Amino acid sequence: PDSASPFDPRPGSAGAGDPLFPTLGNGGYDVGHYDLSFDFTPVAYDFTGRIRISATATQDLSSFNLDTDGHTIDSVTVDGAAARWSLSPGSSGQELTVVPVEPLHDHRPFRVEVAYHGNGKDPRSGLTGWRYMSDGGFASAAQASRADTFAPVNDTPSDKATWDFHITAPDGWTAAANGDLTGTRPAGGSRTTWDFRLDSPMATELMGISVDRQTYLSGEGPHGVRLRHLVPEDQVATYRPIVEHTGEQIAWLEHTLGVKYPFSTYGVQIVRDGYGDALENQTLSLFGPNWFKNAATSTTYTNTMVHELTHQWFGDSVTPTDWQQAWLNEGPAVYYAARWADEQGTASLEDKMRTAYRQLATVRRTDGPPGKPTALGGFNIYDGGAVVLYALNQRVGEERFGQIMKSWLLKHRQANADSEDFIDNAVSTAHDASLRPFLESWLYGLDNPPMAGHPDWSTS
């Protein structure tokens, strides 16, 4: 600091200011890289962990916080020196407050290492991100704020970072994580460590780690994208034909969006039980088995696969700055899955949008419009967000719509963006200032605007 700005360290904020989760995440620093070592014992659910965090201070810091929940903290160091630390209740978990030996200067890089242990079934202050398999394994489903049940992190989508994972399990059990599997190595005591690296930045909520009796199925997607899927080891024959649809789905989305798949690898993880939803964990989407129970007689499950795959572009590569921007994730996922179904001849895009348009008219007043939801996970950000995109398409035409969506993905690739960024991009790409009030009314208004091209659609 210069003489005009004396060193005056202050604690970092215990919250990143998310409109829906004000105390989620933390302020005062920016994480560049996480290195997580996680040693898990199946059936017993005991684990030990060590996370190494490379970060940079964004202000003069006397202390800073990490989000954690359900862990016993064993030690904390900052730049190799033991730091003072304390735990206090948070809004959804706990706050780990770290006080380094020497305060940190603004712009200074620093490293934090936290050693901890616990049990996956221990009580948490909030909801858990653990999903328990009947054979004693687990899978992580951390969205929106439960990565902190696996490790101390800065649990906000606005602080993306690259990752290394080192998952250790007994021999006979298979570990998985986001990114590329770089190798395995003996860990002693009939245990193996599986090493993974993710070179593209990822929000904590997209963490996808697991240990189970599962099998890798490998393949190759368009232009050499590495495919690796995980299925229960005793159900390979059932799920191999399902995961083999992935390559054609990537090719369809690349053609439709005009943008290549944004990461080096992709796969689907189908668990045996313990989880019933679907989730876009970065590079490794997670699925419960219920989506595929009619796979022998129907291909509608591919709609859900396309939905989660679309998220790899919208939500994983281009990530919202906060959770009030979640329509930027879910709207495109619903919209492009509906286009897929329409082109496959299994469901009409126009019929789906007409029905959603009518429902959105009511939802706007109860749950907020798509761009300003009052809570996370409602119809307004899913189908409502898709209706916004459909309206934009109807307004500008298919060619210009495609240009807007392509430029959005390229401009904000591997970064964060919000609704105002989306509006700015649409206006600049289309060279049409009238799109600003058009999109503002669709995203923020309490009433449905008229649907372009469909004057017969009721606005109420």
Side-chain angles (χ1 to χ4, degrees):
D2 58 36
S3 58
S5 302
F7 185 44
D8 181 22
R10 296 169 290 115
S13 62
D18 192 293
L20 297 185
F21 304 97
T23 60
L24 190 66
N26 306 279
Y29 63 93
D30 177 69
V31 177
H33 185 73
Y34 291 102
D35 187 300
L36 175 62
S37 297
F38 196 82
D39 191 321
F40 176 74
T41 299
V43 183
Y45 280 90
D46 293 326
F47 65 84
T48 59
R50 185 177 298 272
I51 190 159
R52 299 172 177 88
I53 303 171
S54 301
T56 302
T58 58
Q59 66 178 63
D60 293 337
L61 284 172
S62 60
S63 65
F64 58 90
N65 288 5
L66 292 166
D67 301 302
T68 188
D69 193 5
H71 308 130
T72 298
I73 305 299
D74 297 315
S75 65
V76 181
T77 64
V78 177
D79 292 331
R84 290 190 291 118
W85 58 271
S86 61
L87 282 174
S88 59
S91 62
S92 62
Q94 294 174 294
E95 294 290 341
L96 173 61
T97 301
V98 179
V99 183
V101 174
E102 296 290 338
L104 302 172
H105 287 276
D106 188 12
H107 303 301
R108 178 195 159 182
F110 64 99
R111 293 179 181 273
V112 185
E113 183 170 316
V114 183
Y116 61 101
H117 70 275
N119 186 280
K121 292 192 174 181
D122 280 347
R124 262 69 184 180
S125 300
L127 298 174
T128 184
W130 290 73
R131 296 297 179 266
Y132 314 113
M133 306 297 113
S134 61
D135 59 4
F138 81 95
S140 65
Q143 197 180 86
S145 62
R146 299 289 63 197
D148 65 353
T149 63
F150 297 97
V153 293
N154 191 22
D155 206 5
T156 169
S158 62
D159 195 1
K160 300 170 67 169
T162 56
W163 291 75
D164 280 293
F165 298 93
H166 316 284
I167 313 296
T168 301
D171 294 346
W173 296 77
T174 299
N178 314 82
D180 289 295
L181 174 62
T182 59
T184 62
R185 49 195 166 90
S190 300
R191 301 175 76 84
T192 298
T193 297
W194 304 66
D195 296 314
F196 304 85
R197 182 161 184 83
L198 182 65
D199 289 325
S200 302
M202 179 180 76
T204 51
E205 52 101 1
L206 299 168
M207 176 193 292
I209 62 174
S210 66
V211 171
D212 202 23
R213 295 197 181 277
Q214 53 192 354
T215 295
Y216 279 94
L217 300 177
S218 300
E220 185 174 302
H223 51 82
V225 173
R226 292 185 293 278
L227 301 180
R228 51 87 179 89
H229 314 287
L230 287 120
V231 302
E233 64 181 14
D234 55 345
Q235 299 174 38
V236 171
T238 299
Y239 289 122
R240 187 186 296 276
I242 290 170
V243 303
E244 286 178 346
H245 286 291
T246 305
E248 68 192 68
Q249 293 164 1
I250 294 174
W252 180 84
L253 272 167
E254 288 187 337
H255 173 76
T256 302
L257 299 173
V259 180
K260 287 185 177 181
Y261 175 73
F263 307 112
S264 62
T265 187
Y266 183 67
V268 300
Q269 179 174 17
I270 305 173
V271 296
R272 66 176 66 250
D273 51 30
Y275 181 70
D277 296 322
L279 185 61
E280 65 274 16
N281 291 339
Q282 189 161 313
T283 73
L284 187 60
S285 294
L286 178 67
F287 296 87
N290 53 297
W291 296 106
F292 310 103
K293 62 183 179 181
N294 296 321
T297 57
S298 172
T299 59
T300 56
Y301 64 86
T302 62
N303 299 347
T304 304
M305 293 178 71
V306 170
H307 178 112
E308 303 308 332
L309 176 59
T310 302
H311 274 307
Q312 302 298 313
W313 283 265
F314 297 93
D316 294 12
S317 175
V318 183
T319 303
T321 54
D322 59 62
W323 283 112
Q324 198 162 57
Q325 318 297 319
W327 83 272
L328 291 166
N329 294 7
E330 301 301 345
V334 172
Y335 176 78
Y336 286 106
R339 284 187 61 159
W340 163 272
D342 187 86
E343 291 188 22
Q344 297 295 309
T346 59
S348 165
L349 173 64
E350 184 175 319
D351 288 349
K352 181 178 178 64
M353 293 298 101
R354 182 191 297 114
T355 299
Y357 178 72
R358 286 198 301 267
Q359 187 171 345
L360 181 60
T362 301
V363 170
R364 283 179 182 273
R365 294 188 173 274
T366 58
D367 300 333
K372 287 189 176 178
T374 58
L376 185 64
F379 179 93
N380 47 356
I381 66 172
Y382 282 81
D383 292 60
V387 169
V388 172
L389 295 179
Y390 182 79
L392 178 60
N393 185 308
Q394 296 296 294
R395 168 68 181 266
V396 302
E398 178 61 34
E399 181 177 0
R400 187 160 291 178
F401 175 78
Q403 293 169 349
I404 290 171
M405 301 306 283
K406 178 178 180 178
S407 62
W408 170 255
L409 293 171
L410 295 177
K411 186 178 298 182
H412 300 287
R413 183 178 183 273
Q414 313 299 6
N416 293 95
D418 61 21
S419 297
E420 290 304 303
D421 294 322
F422 185 87
I423 294 172
D424 290 344
N425 176 71
V427 169
S428 62
T429 302
H431 305 289
D432 184 353
S434 71
L435 288 181
R436 185 173 303 280
F438 173 81
L439 284 169
E440 287 174 344
S441 63
W442 274 100
L443 287 172
Y444 307 135
L446 292 179
D447 295 297
N448 268 349
M451 177 60 73
H454 297 282
D456 56 318
W457 288 15
S458 173
T459 59
S460 59

